[in-house]
Amino acid sequence: MSKHVLIRGGTLVTADDERRGDLLIEGEHIVAIGDSLAAPSGARVIDAGGAYVLPGGIDPHTHMELPFMGTVASEDFFSGTSAAAAGGTTMCIDFVIPAPKEPLIEAYRKWRGWAEKAACDYSFHVAVTWWDDTVHADMGELTRAHGVNSFKHFMAYKGAIMCDDEVLVSSFRRAGELGALCTVHAENGELVWALQQQVFEAGITGPEGHPLSRPPEVEGEAANRAIRIAEVLGVPVYLVHTSCIDALEAVTRARLEGQRVFAEVLAQHLVIDDSVYRDRDWDRAAHHVMSPPFRPKHHQAALWAGLASGMLQTTATDHCCFCTPQKRMGLADFRKIPNGTNGVEDRMAVLWHHGVRTGRLTPSEFVAVTSSNAAKIFNVYPRKGSLAVGADADVVIWDPNKTRTISAATHHQNIDVSIYDGMEVIGNPAVTLSRGRVVYEDGQLKTERGTGRYVDRPCHAPYWAAQKLRNRLAEVKPVERAVPEREED
Ligand code: URP
Ligand code: ZN
Ligand code: ZN
Protein backbone atom coordinates (compact mmCIF):
# COMPACT_ATOMS: atom_id res chain seq x y z
CA MET A 1 0.00 0.00 0.00
CA SER A 2 1.33 3.44 -0.91
CA LYS A 3 2.25 5.63 1.96
CA HIS A 4 1.04 8.74 0.14
CA VAL A 5 -2.29 10.53 0.39
CA LEU A 6 -2.96 13.55 -1.83
CA ILE A 7 -5.84 15.78 -0.77
CA ARG A 8 -6.73 17.72 -3.88
CA GLY A 9 -8.60 20.93 -4.52
CA GLY A 10 -9.83 21.87 -1.05
CA THR A 11 -9.75 25.18 0.77
CA LEU A 12 -6.89 24.85 3.23
CA VAL A 13 -7.65 26.72 6.44
CA THR A 14 -5.26 27.50 9.23
CA ALA A 15 -5.58 29.91 12.13
CA ASP A 16 -3.70 32.42 9.92
CA ASP A 17 -5.25 32.11 6.48
CA GLU A 18 -7.37 30.36 3.87
CA ARG A 19 -6.15 29.30 0.43
CA ARG A 20 -7.14 26.89 -2.31
CA GLY A 21 -4.59 24.13 -2.82
CA ASP A 22 -3.45 20.54 -2.49
CA LEU A 23 -1.88 18.84 0.49
CA LEU A 24 0.38 15.81 0.20
CA ILE A 25 0.93 13.37 3.03
CA GLU A 26 3.72 10.83 3.17
CA GLY A 27 3.44 8.32 5.99
CA GLU A 28 2.56 10.22 9.13
CA HIS A 29 3.48 13.73 8.00
CA ILE A 30 2.47 16.53 5.68
CA VAL A 31 5.24 16.76 3.07
CA ALA A 32 3.97 19.33 0.57
CA ILE A 33 1.37 22.05 0.19
CA GLY A 34 0.85 23.76 -3.13
CA ASP A 35 -1.09 24.12 -6.34
CA SER A 36 -1.64 21.18 -8.66
CA LEU A 37 0.67 18.82 -6.80
CA ALA A 38 1.51 15.64 -8.69
CA ALA A 39 0.29 12.42 -7.14
CA PRO A 40 3.19 10.02 -6.42
CA SER A 41 2.70 6.60 -7.95
CA GLY A 42 0.15 4.56 -6.05
CA ALA A 43 -0.96 7.52 -3.93
CA ARG A 44 -4.49 7.64 -2.69
CA VAL A 45 -6.08 10.82 -4.08
CA ILE A 46 -8.97 12.36 -2.16
CA ASP A 47 -11.02 15.00 -3.91
CA ALA A 48 -11.72 17.83 -1.44
CA GLY A 49 -13.45 20.11 -3.96
CA GLY A 50 -16.10 22.21 -2.21
CA ALA A 51 -14.72 21.25 1.20
CA TYR A 52 -12.40 22.80 3.75
CA VAL A 53 -9.17 21.08 4.80
CA LEU A 54 -8.43 21.77 8.46
CA PRO A 55 -5.92 20.74 11.11
CA GLY A 56 -7.48 18.00 13.23
CA GLY A 57 -9.28 19.26 16.29
CA ILE A 58 -7.57 19.20 19.67
CA ASP A 59 -9.81 18.68 22.68
CA PRO A 60 -7.76 19.86 25.66
CA HIS A 61 -10.19 18.52 28.27
CA THR A 62 -11.52 14.94 28.29
CA HIS A 63 -11.99 12.24 30.92
CA MET A 64 -11.92 8.75 29.40
CA GLU A 65 -12.57 5.87 31.83
CA LEU A 66 -12.21 8.20 34.80
CA PRO A 67 -12.96 6.67 38.22
CA PHE A 68 -15.20 9.36 39.71
CA MET A 69 -17.98 9.69 42.30
CA GLY A 70 -18.19 5.96 43.00
CA THR A 71 -18.25 4.80 39.39
CA VAL A 72 -16.12 4.87 36.23
CA ALA A 73 -16.80 7.01 33.16
CA SER A 74 -18.29 4.74 30.48
CA GLU A 75 -16.14 5.90 27.59
CA ASP A 76 -12.75 4.21 27.39
CA PHE A 77 -9.70 5.48 25.53
CA PHE A 78 -10.51 3.45 22.40
CA SER A 79 -14.21 4.25 22.15
CA GLY A 80 -13.61 7.86 23.17
CA THR A 81 -10.82 8.65 20.74
CA SER A 82 -12.75 6.84 18.00
CA ALA A 83 -15.80 9.01 18.65
CA ALA A 84 -13.48 12.02 18.65
CA ALA A 85 -12.21 11.04 15.19
CA ALA A 86 -15.77 10.72 13.88
CA GLY A 87 -16.24 14.34 14.93
CA GLY A 88 -12.96 15.64 13.49
CA THR A 89 -10.91 15.68 16.69
CA THR A 90 -7.55 13.95 16.37
CA MET A 91 -5.93 14.68 19.71
CA CYS A 92 -7.30 14.67 23.26
CA ILE A 93 -5.53 15.94 26.35
CA ASP A 94 -6.96 13.85 29.16
CA PHE A 95 -6.33 14.05 32.92
CA VAL A 96 -4.39 11.87 35.30
CA ILE A 97 -6.21 12.37 38.61
CA PRO A 98 -4.40 10.77 41.55
CA ALA A 99 -6.45 9.92 44.63
CA PRO A 100 -5.32 11.89 47.69
CA LYS A 101 -2.01 10.43 48.90
CA GLU A 102 -1.53 8.49 45.66
CA PRO A 103 1.92 9.25 44.19
CA LEU A 104 1.61 11.30 41.00
CA ILE A 105 4.01 9.09 39.07
CA GLU A 106 2.06 5.93 39.97
CA ALA A 107 -1.20 7.49 38.84
CA TYR A 108 0.47 8.72 35.65
CA ARG A 109 1.73 5.20 34.85
CA LYS A 110 -1.75 3.76 35.49
CA TRP A 111 -3.36 6.23 33.06
CA ARG A 112 -0.64 5.59 30.45
CA GLY A 113 -1.53 1.91 30.64
CA TRP A 114 -5.26 2.57 30.20
CA ALA A 115 -4.60 4.86 27.26
CA GLU A 116 -2.61 2.34 25.24
CA LYS A 117 -5.82 1.37 23.48
CA ALA A 118 -6.35 4.91 22.12
CA ALA A 119 -7.01 5.28 18.41
CA CYS A 120 -5.84 8.91 18.08
CA ASP A 121 -3.02 10.82 19.70
CA TYR A 122 -3.32 11.94 23.31
CA SER A 123 -1.49 13.54 26.17
CA PHE A 124 -2.06 14.13 29.88
CA HIS A 125 -2.46 16.97 32.33
CA VAL A 126 -1.66 15.65 35.81
CA ALA A 127 -3.82 16.76 38.74
CA VAL A 128 -2.28 17.84 42.03
CA THR A 129 -4.81 16.70 44.63
CA TRP A 130 -2.60 16.76 47.73
CA TRP A 131 0.81 18.01 48.78
CA ASP A 132 4.08 16.85 50.30
CA ASP A 133 7.73 16.69 49.24
CA THR A 134 7.14 13.67 47.02
CA VAL A 135 4.55 15.60 45.01
CA HIS A 136 7.10 18.39 44.61
CA ALA A 137 9.64 15.84 43.33
CA ASP A 138 7.16 14.00 41.08
CA MET A 139 6.15 17.26 39.38
CA GLY A 140 9.81 17.70 38.47
CA GLU A 141 10.13 14.18 37.14
CA LEU A 142 6.90 14.44 35.14
CA THR A 143 8.11 17.57 33.38
CA ARG A 144 11.66 16.33 32.84
CA ALA A 145 11.10 12.72 31.84
CA HIS A 146 7.45 12.28 30.83
CA GLY A 147 6.48 15.25 28.68
CA VAL A 148 3.94 16.71 31.11
CA ASN A 149 3.81 20.52 31.03
CA SER A 150 0.49 21.20 32.74
CA PHE A 151 -0.90 20.45 36.21
CA LYS A 152 -4.57 20.51 37.13
CA HIS A 153 -6.12 21.81 40.35
CA PHE A 154 -9.70 21.11 41.42
CA MET A 155 -10.93 23.92 43.67
CA ALA A 156 -14.18 21.95 44.16
CA TYR A 157 -15.17 18.35 45.05
CA LYS A 158 -14.53 18.72 48.79
CA GLY A 159 -13.74 15.47 50.53
CA ALA A 160 -12.45 13.94 47.29
CA ILE A 161 -10.00 15.64 44.93
CA MET A 162 -10.35 19.28 46.00
CA CYS A 163 -7.21 21.19 46.85
CA ASP A 164 -7.19 24.00 49.35
CA ASP A 165 -5.25 27.26 49.01
CA GLU A 166 -2.19 25.77 50.71
CA VAL A 167 -1.94 23.10 48.01
CA LEU A 168 -2.68 25.65 45.29
CA VAL A 169 0.09 27.94 46.45
CA SER A 170 2.65 25.12 46.81
CA SER A 171 1.80 23.64 43.44
CA PHE A 172 1.59 26.94 41.55
CA ARG A 173 4.99 27.92 42.92
CA ARG A 174 6.53 24.59 41.94
CA ALA A 175 4.98 24.73 38.45
CA GLY A 176 6.46 28.21 38.10
CA GLU A 177 9.94 26.90 38.88
CA LEU A 178 9.51 24.18 36.27
CA GLY A 179 7.99 26.37 33.55
CA ALA A 180 4.79 24.30 33.60
CA LEU A 181 1.26 25.63 33.26
CA CYS A 182 -1.26 25.47 36.12
CA THR A 183 -4.83 24.74 35.14
CA VAL A 184 -7.80 25.06 37.48
CA HIS A 185 -11.38 23.90 37.87
CA ALA A 186 -12.61 27.12 39.45
CA GLU A 187 -15.49 26.67 41.88
CA ASN A 188 -15.37 27.49 45.58
CA GLY A 189 -15.63 23.97 47.01
CA GLU A 190 -16.49 25.09 50.53
CA LEU A 191 -19.43 27.15 49.29
CA VAL A 192 -20.61 24.33 47.04
CA TRP A 193 -20.48 21.95 50.00
CA ALA A 194 -22.45 24.31 52.25
CA LEU A 195 -25.03 25.11 49.58
CA GLN A 196 -25.50 21.43 48.71
CA GLN A 197 -26.46 20.67 52.32
CA GLN A 198 -28.74 23.71 52.48
CA VAL A 199 -30.53 22.90 49.21
CA PHE A 200 -30.93 19.23 50.14
CA GLU A 201 -32.23 20.03 53.62
CA ALA A 202 -34.76 22.41 52.04
CA GLY A 203 -36.25 19.33 50.38
CA ILE A 204 -34.79 19.81 46.89
CA THR A 205 -33.36 16.38 46.13
CA GLY A 206 -33.64 16.26 42.31
CA PRO A 207 -31.24 17.51 39.58
CA GLU A 208 -32.65 21.05 39.91
CA GLY A 209 -30.70 21.21 43.17
CA HIS A 210 -27.41 20.95 41.29
CA PRO A 211 -27.29 24.47 39.75
CA LEU A 212 -28.71 25.97 42.96
CA SER A 213 -25.68 24.68 44.83
CA ARG A 214 -23.20 26.00 42.25
CA PRO A 215 -24.27 29.53 41.25
CA PRO A 216 -22.07 31.69 39.02
CA GLU A 217 -20.68 33.63 42.02
CA VAL A 218 -19.11 30.42 43.29
CA GLU A 219 -17.21 30.09 40.02
CA GLY A 220 -16.39 33.79 39.83
CA GLU A 221 -14.87 33.81 43.31
CA ALA A 222 -12.67 30.80 42.63
CA ALA A 223 -11.61 32.05 39.21
CA ASN A 224 -10.56 35.36 40.70
CA ARG A 225 -8.76 33.65 43.59
CA ALA A 226 -6.80 31.34 41.29
CA ILE A 227 -5.90 34.24 39.02
CA ARG A 228 -4.77 36.41 41.93
CA ILE A 229 -2.71 33.60 43.45
CA ALA A 230 -1.07 33.11 40.06
CA GLU A 231 -0.45 36.83 39.79
CA VAL A 232 1.22 37.08 43.19
CA LEU A 233 3.41 34.07 42.44
CA GLY A 234 4.10 35.31 38.93
CA VAL A 235 2.96 32.19 37.08
CA PRO A 236 0.66 31.73 34.10
CA VAL A 237 -2.72 30.09 34.71
CA TYR A 238 -5.37 28.37 32.55
CA LEU A 239 -9.03 28.16 33.60
CA VAL A 240 -10.89 25.11 32.34
CA HIS A 241 -14.61 25.17 31.49
CA THR A 242 -15.30 28.90 32.01
CA SER A 243 -19.09 28.90 32.10
CA CYS A 244 -20.30 32.31 33.26
CA ILE A 245 -19.92 36.06 33.11
CA ASP A 246 -18.48 36.15 36.64
CA ALA A 247 -15.45 34.04 35.71
CA LEU A 248 -15.08 35.66 32.30
CA GLU A 249 -14.88 39.08 33.97
CA ALA A 250 -12.04 37.88 36.19
CA VAL A 251 -10.20 36.56 33.14
CA THR A 252 -10.81 39.71 31.14
CA ARG A 253 -9.61 42.04 33.87
CA ALA A 254 -6.44 40.03 34.40
CA ARG A 255 -5.65 39.85 30.70
CA LEU A 256 -6.20 43.59 30.32
CA GLU A 257 -3.75 44.07 33.17
CA GLY A 258 -1.20 42.08 31.18
CA GLN A 259 -1.38 38.85 33.15
CA ARG A 260 -0.80 35.62 31.26
CA VAL A 261 -4.19 34.05 31.87
CA PHE A 262 -5.80 31.58 29.48
CA ALA A 263 -9.36 30.29 29.56
CA GLU A 264 -11.32 27.53 27.93
CA VAL A 265 -15.04 27.31 27.21
CA LEU A 266 -17.00 24.12 26.62
CA ALA A 267 -19.10 23.80 23.49
CA GLN A 268 -22.10 22.82 25.61
CA HIS A 269 -21.96 25.97 27.77
CA LEU A 270 -22.24 28.03 24.58
CA VAL A 271 -25.51 26.48 23.46
CA ILE A 272 -27.34 24.82 26.37
CA ASP A 273 -28.91 26.72 29.28
CA ASP A 274 -30.05 25.82 32.78
CA SER A 275 -33.68 25.13 31.82
CA VAL A 276 -32.53 21.51 31.30
CA TYR A 277 -32.54 20.97 35.06
CA ARG A 278 -36.29 21.61 35.23
CA ASP A 279 -37.07 18.85 32.72
CA ARG A 280 -39.86 16.72 34.19
CA ASP A 281 -38.05 13.60 33.01
CA TRP A 282 -35.55 12.84 35.82
CA ASP A 283 -33.11 11.00 33.54
CA ARG A 284 -32.96 13.82 31.02
CA ALA A 285 -32.34 16.38 33.76
CA ALA A 286 -29.72 14.18 35.44
CA HIS A 287 -27.86 13.71 32.17
CA HIS A 288 -27.10 17.43 32.30
CA VAL A 289 -25.58 17.31 35.76
CA MET A 290 -22.04 18.50 35.27
CA SER A 291 -19.86 21.07 36.98
CA PRO A 292 -19.92 23.95 36.49
CA PRO A 293 -23.61 23.57 35.63
CA PHE A 294 -25.45 24.99 32.65
CA ARG A 295 -26.20 28.68 33.21
CA PRO A 296 -29.08 31.08 32.58
CA LYS A 297 -29.19 31.94 28.89
CA HIS A 298 -27.71 35.44 29.10
CA HIS A 299 -24.30 33.94 29.99
CA GLN A 300 -24.09 32.38 26.52
CA ALA A 301 -23.85 35.69 24.67
CA ALA A 302 -20.99 36.74 26.96
CA LEU A 303 -19.14 33.46 26.34
CA TRP A 304 -19.51 33.82 22.57
CA ALA A 305 -18.20 37.37 22.85
CA GLY A 306 -15.32 36.11 24.97
CA LEU A 307 -14.42 33.61 22.29
CA ALA A 308 -14.73 36.08 19.43
CA SER A 309 -12.64 38.69 21.25
CA GLY A 310 -9.86 36.28 22.22
CA MET A 311 -10.49 36.50 25.97
CA LEU A 312 -11.36 32.79 25.78
CA GLN A 313 -8.84 30.97 23.62
CA THR A 314 -9.84 27.32 23.53
CA THR A 315 -12.92 25.15 23.26
CA ALA A 316 -13.20 21.74 24.90
CA THR A 317 -15.81 19.19 25.93
CA ASP A 318 -14.92 17.92 29.42
CA HIS A 319 -16.16 14.66 27.86
CA CYS A 320 -17.01 12.52 30.91
CA CYS A 321 -19.77 10.04 30.12
CA PHE A 322 -22.08 8.29 32.53
CA CYS A 323 -24.93 6.10 31.29
CA THR A 324 -28.43 6.22 32.73
CA PRO A 325 -27.93 3.52 35.40
CA GLN A 326 -24.86 5.41 36.61
CA LYS A 327 -26.71 8.72 36.77
CA ARG A 328 -29.45 6.96 38.75
CA MET A 329 -27.00 6.49 41.62
CA GLY A 330 -28.32 9.92 42.58
CA LEU A 331 -32.05 9.23 42.23
CA ALA A 332 -32.72 10.17 45.85
CA ASP A 333 -30.00 12.79 46.17
CA PHE A 334 -28.68 15.12 43.45
CA ARG A 335 -25.32 15.26 45.26
CA LYS A 336 -24.70 11.63 44.27
CA ILE A 337 -25.38 12.02 40.53
CA PRO A 338 -21.99 11.49 38.84
CA ASN A 339 -20.99 14.80 37.30
CA GLY A 340 -20.25 14.78 33.59
CA THR A 341 -21.60 15.04 30.05
CA ASN A 342 -20.66 13.82 26.57
CA GLY A 343 -19.54 15.79 23.54
CA VAL A 344 -16.11 14.79 22.18
CA GLU A 345 -17.75 13.79 18.88
CA ASP A 346 -19.89 16.92 18.67
CA ARG A 347 -17.69 19.87 19.62
CA MET A 348 -16.40 20.73 16.14
CA ALA A 349 -19.83 20.54 14.47
CA VAL A 350 -21.52 22.50 17.27
CA LEU A 351 -18.84 25.21 16.99
CA TRP A 352 -19.11 25.30 13.20
CA HIS A 353 -22.90 25.38 13.13
CA HIS A 354 -23.40 27.89 15.93
CA GLY A 355 -20.12 29.76 15.46
CA VAL A 356 -19.15 29.89 11.79
CA ARG A 357 -22.59 29.63 10.20
CA THR A 358 -23.88 32.46 12.39
CA GLY A 359 -20.92 34.70 11.53
CA ARG A 360 -19.56 34.75 15.08
CA LEU A 361 -16.36 33.04 13.93
CA THR A 362 -14.51 32.95 10.62
CA PRO A 363 -13.21 29.56 9.44
CA SER A 364 -9.71 30.64 10.56
CA GLU A 365 -11.01 31.65 13.98
CA PHE A 366 -12.75 28.28 14.16
CA VAL A 367 -9.42 26.55 13.55
CA ALA A 368 -7.79 28.73 16.21
CA VAL A 369 -10.34 27.94 18.92
CA THR A 370 -10.79 24.25 18.09
CA SER A 371 -7.14 23.36 17.49
CA SER A 372 -4.26 25.83 17.03
CA ASN A 373 -4.65 27.80 20.26
CA ALA A 374 -4.68 24.63 22.36
CA ALA A 375 -1.62 23.40 20.46
CA LYS A 376 0.18 26.66 21.24
CA ILE A 377 -0.84 26.92 24.89
CA PHE A 378 0.03 23.29 25.61
CA ASN A 379 3.18 23.48 23.46
CA VAL A 380 2.65 20.97 20.68
CA TYR A 381 2.46 23.59 17.91
CA PRO A 382 3.21 23.38 14.96
CA ARG A 383 3.46 19.59 15.13
CA LYS A 384 -0.26 19.66 15.96
CA GLY A 385 -2.80 22.39 15.23
CA SER A 386 -1.31 23.44 11.89
CA LEU A 387 -1.20 22.52 8.23
CA ALA A 388 2.52 22.83 7.61
CA VAL A 389 5.21 20.80 5.95
CA GLY A 390 6.65 18.52 8.63
CA ALA A 391 3.55 18.61 10.84
CA ASP A 392 1.74 15.43 11.86
CA ALA A 393 -0.86 14.60 9.23
CA ASP A 394 -3.83 15.06 11.56
CA VAL A 395 -6.20 16.49 8.98
CA VAL A 396 -9.95 16.86 8.59
CA ILE A 397 -11.76 17.28 5.31
CA TRP A 398 -14.71 19.35 6.42
CA ASP A 399 -17.92 19.38 4.43
CA PRO A 400 -19.70 22.66 5.26
CA ASN A 401 -22.98 21.32 3.87
CA LYS A 402 -23.08 17.91 5.52
CA THR A 403 -26.04 17.82 7.87
CA ARG A 404 -26.43 15.65 10.94
CA THR A 405 -29.12 15.46 13.56
CA ILE A 406 -27.27 14.51 16.72
CA SER A 407 -28.67 11.40 18.33
CA ALA A 408 -27.45 8.79 20.78
CA ALA A 409 -28.88 6.23 18.36
CA THR A 410 -26.30 7.13 15.72
CA HIS A 411 -23.38 8.68 17.57
CA HIS A 412 -20.19 6.77 18.34
CA GLN A 413 -19.84 7.87 21.96
CA ASN A 414 -20.29 5.13 24.55
CA ILE A 415 -23.26 6.69 26.29
CA ASP A 416 -26.97 6.00 25.89
CA VAL A 417 -28.03 9.66 25.72
CA SER A 418 -26.59 12.83 24.26
CA ILE A 419 -26.95 16.29 25.73
CA TYR A 420 -27.31 17.42 22.10
CA ASP A 421 -30.03 14.86 21.19
CA GLY A 422 -32.17 16.33 18.39
CA MET A 423 -29.86 19.24 17.55
CA GLU A 424 -29.29 19.65 13.81
CA VAL A 425 -25.75 20.69 12.88
CA ILE A 426 -24.72 21.70 9.37
CA GLY A 427 -20.98 21.31 8.74
CA ASN A 428 -19.39 17.98 9.62
CA PRO A 429 -16.28 15.96 8.84
CA ALA A 430 -16.27 14.02 5.58
CA VAL A 431 -12.88 12.39 6.21
CA THR A 432 -10.59 12.41 9.25
CA LEU A 433 -6.93 11.43 9.09
CA SER A 434 -4.83 10.68 12.14
CA ARG A 435 -1.10 10.80 11.44
CA GLY A 436 -1.81 10.02 7.79
CA ARG A 437 -4.27 7.15 8.37
CA VAL A 438 -7.88 7.55 7.34
CA VAL A 439 -9.80 6.92 10.57
CA TYR A 440 -13.23 8.15 9.53
CA GLU A 441 -14.77 8.34 6.08
CA ASP A 442 -18.26 8.34 4.53
CA GLY A 443 -19.85 7.98 7.94
CA GLN A 444 -17.75 4.91 8.74
CA LEU A 445 -15.28 4.66 11.59
CA LYS A 446 -12.00 3.05 10.61
CA THR A 447 -10.08 3.48 13.83
CA GLU A 448 -7.85 0.74 15.18
CA ARG A 449 -7.20 0.01 18.79
CA GLY A 450 -3.78 1.16 19.95
CA THR A 451 -2.78 3.26 16.94
CA GLY A 452 -2.88 6.51 18.92
CA ARG A 453 0.37 7.73 20.43
CA TYR A 454 1.26 9.58 23.57
CA VAL A 455 2.40 13.12 22.74
CA ASP A 456 5.20 14.62 24.84
CA ARG A 457 4.66 18.26 25.74
CA PRO A 458 7.86 19.94 26.87
CA CYS A 459 7.68 22.97 29.14
CA HIS A 460 7.65 26.32 27.42
CA ALA A 461 10.81 28.37 27.02
CA PRO A 462 11.46 30.36 30.21
CA TYR A 463 10.42 33.71 28.69
CA TRP A 464 6.88 32.36 28.29
CA ALA A 465 6.50 32.30 32.05
CA ALA A 466 8.49 35.50 32.43
CA GLN A 467 5.84 37.02 34.61
CA LYS A 468 7.76 35.58 37.50
CA LEU A 469 9.69 38.83 37.18
CA ARG A 470 6.69 40.41 38.83
CA ASN A 471 7.33 38.41 41.96
CA ARG A 472 7.49 41.29 44.40
CA LEU A 473 9.72 39.50 46.88
CA ALA A 474 12.47 39.29 44.29
CA GLU A 475 12.55 43.07 43.97
CA VAL A 476 12.40 44.12 47.61
CA LYS A 477 15.40 44.47 49.93
CA PRO A 478 15.14 44.47 53.72
CA VAL A 479 15.09 47.99 55.24
CA GLU A 480 18.33 48.87 57.00
CA ARG A 481 17.43 50.34 60.34
CA ALA A 482 18.70 50.68 63.87
CA VAL A 483 17.16 47.97 65.98
CA PRO A 484 16.10 49.16 69.45
CA GLU A 485 17.75 47.31 72.26
CA ARG A 486 15.55 44.83 74.08
CA GLU A 487 14.58 45.84 77.54
CA GLU A 488 15.34 43.24 80.18
CA ASP A 489 12.32 42.06 82.21
O1 URP B 1 -18.84 17.58 35.75
C1 URP B 1 -17.70 17.44 35.34
N1 URP B 1 -17.13 18.45 34.79
N2 URP B 1 -17.10 16.23 35.48
C2 URP B 1 -15.77 15.91 35.20
C3 URP B 1 -14.82 16.41 36.27
C4 URP B 1 -14.56 17.87 36.11
O2 URP B 1 -14.95 18.66 36.97
O3 URP B 1 -13.92 18.30 35.16
ZN1 ZN C 1 -13.90 20.37 36.18
ZN1 ZN D 1 -13.10 17.95 33.57
Side-chain angles (χ1 to χ4, degrees):
M1 199 169 79
S2 167
K3 48 192 176 79
H4 290 102
V5 178
L6 178 63
I7 301 174
R8 189 168 265 168
T11 301
L12 309 172
V13 187
T14 68
D16 297 323
D17 58 14
E18 269 183 48
R19 53 162 291 187
R20 290 291 300 279
D22 302 343
L23 183 145
L24 180 64
I25 295 166
E26 181 178 343
E28 300 192 344
H29 299 108
I30 298 170
V31 291
I33 294 172
D35 298 321
S36 308
L37 294 179
S41 124
R44 165 144 193 219
V45 179
I46 304 178
D47 178 9
Y52 291 98
V53 179
L54 316 172
I58 299 175
D59 189 335
H61 188 160
T62 63
H63 301 282
M64 309 303 175
E65 54 191 282
L66 173 69
F68 191 51
M69 294 185 73
T71 183
V72 178
S74 58
E75 190 88 274
D76 73 20
F77 278 92
F78 176 53
S79 62
T81 50
S82 296
T89 289
T90 51
M91 179 174 172
C92 296
I93 314 184
D94 207 273
F95 292 80
V96 172
I97 307 185
K101 302 292 172 210
E102 183 180 13
L104 269 57
I105 294 282
E106 275 179 28
Y108 167 81
R109 293 216 168 93
K110 195 163 68 185
W111 256 267
R112 285 292 303 266
W114 293 340
E116 276 176 12
K117 55 177 107 56
C120 292
D121 289 0
Y122 57 94
S123 195
F124 287 116
H125 314 279
V126 176
V128 174
T129 52
W130 61 292
W131 192 258
D132 76 359
D133 288 349
T134 67
V135 177
H136 182 275
D138 281 358
M139 287 175 76
E141 189 180 336
L142 285 164
T143 57
R144 275 192 303 275
H146 300 286
V148 173
N149 71 10
S150 50
F151 293 96
K152 171 73 178 289
H153 306 80
F154 290 92
M155 298 171 79
Y157 305 123
K158 180 175 153 85
I161 52 177
M162 174 172 128
C163 45
D164 60 18
D165 284 3
E166 190 178 351
V167 176
L168 279 186
V169 170
S170 305
S171 178
F172 278 28
R173 182 179 284 143
R174 177 64 172 147
E177 283 167 16
L178 298 166
L181 180 60
C182 290
T183 78
V184 290
H185 169 134
E187 284 185 301
N188 183 316
E190 291 296 342
L191 274 174
V192 170
W193 179 267
L195 289 173
Q196 281 181 327
Q197 317 316 320
Q198 198 180 332
V199 169
F200 188 78
E201 278 157 24
I204 300 173
T205 58
E208 66 277 19
H210 181 69
L212 293 174
S213 65
R214 310 179 97 102
E217 294 80 0
V218 157
E219 184 180 338
E221 186 283 325
N224 192 52
R225 180 157 38 101
I227 288 169
R228 289 306 192 188
I229 291 172
E231 187 198 18
V232 171
L233 297 176
V235 297
V237 68
Y238 175 102
L239 267 55
V240 305
H241 49 43
T242 307
S243 76
C244 61
I245 293 170
D246 310 55
L248 179 59
E249 280 177 355
V251 171
T252 302
R253 185 186 60 194
R255 285 179 67 86
L256 293 178
E257 286 173 3
Q259 199 181 335
R260 200 179 302 282
V261 173
F262 304 104
E264 154 196 299
V265 61
L266 305 183
Q268 58 266 43
H269 281 134
L270 291 164
V271 296
I272 297 174
D273 67 62
D274 64 348
S275 59
V276 291
Y277 298 115
R278 304 208 69 82
D279 197 312
R280 294 183 75 82
D281 181 310
W282 189 94
D283 287 333
R284 273 207 302 265
H287 270 291
H288 290 86
V289 168
M290 66 162 301
S291 298
F294 293 99
R295 301 300 190 188
K297 207 163 188 56
H298 65 278
H299 291 270
Q300 288 172 11
L303 295 176
W304 279 114
L307 204 53
S309 65
M311 290 296 156
L312 303 171
Q313 300 78 42
T314 60
T315 58
T317 60
D318 200 359
H319 184 77
C320 188
C321 293
F322 298 106
C323 293
T324 302
Q326 295 176 290
K327 288 282 183 183
R328 287 187 182 168
M329 290 164 63
L331 259 182
D333 182 347
F334 71 86
R335 298 169 297 182
K336 300 199 173 120
I337 301 170
N339 286 204
T341 54
N342 69 292
V344 77
E345 184 172 351
D346 310 307
R347 175 184 65 127
M348 302 276 282
V350 167
L351 261 294
W352 185 276
H353 183 88
H354 293 277
V356 178
R357 284 181 61 85
T358 56
R360 289 171 168 129
L361 301 172
T362 66
S364 279
E365 288 165 348
F366 170 84
V367 168
V369 302
T370 57
S371 180
S372 311
N373 289 352
K376 289 175 185 169
I377 292 168
F378 294 108
N379 209 17
V380 289
Y381 188 86
R383 174 180 168 193
K384 305 285 189 190
S386 78
L387 297 178
V389 172
D392 285 358
D394 288 355
V395 179
V396 185
I397 301 175
W398 190 266
D399 179 348
N401 299 314
K402 185 172 163 187
T403 303
R404 178 166 78 102
T405 301
I406 301 177
S407 162
T410 50
H411 74 192
H412 301 87
Q413 298 160 101
N414 190 26
I415 179 168
D416 54 349
V417 178
S418 172
I419 50 169
Y420 298 114
D421 259 324
M423 181 185 283
E424 183 182 83
V425 279
I426 303 176
N428 280 283
V431 183
T432 306
L433 296 102
S434 164
R435 273 187 291 100
R437 294 179 59 254
V438 171
V439 286
Y440 175 79
E441 185 174 24
D442 295 334
Q444 299 298 312
L445 260 183
K446 301 189 168 177
T447 49
E448 275 178 42
R449 214 176 164 83
T451 49
R453 291 223 194 106
Y454 178 73
V455 179
D456 273 324
R457 295 178 299 115
C459 289
H460 282 275
Y463 56 77
W464 195 78
Q467 287 196 316
K468 66 163 91 67
L469 296 178
R470 296 185 65 182
N471 187 334
R472 290 146 198 167
L473 291 179
E475 293 155 16
V476 177
K477 298 218 165 20
V479 177
E480 287 180 23
R481 57 165 73 86
V483 181
E485 279 183 18
R486 282 178 66 162
E487 284 174 21
E488 297 301 323
D489 296 333

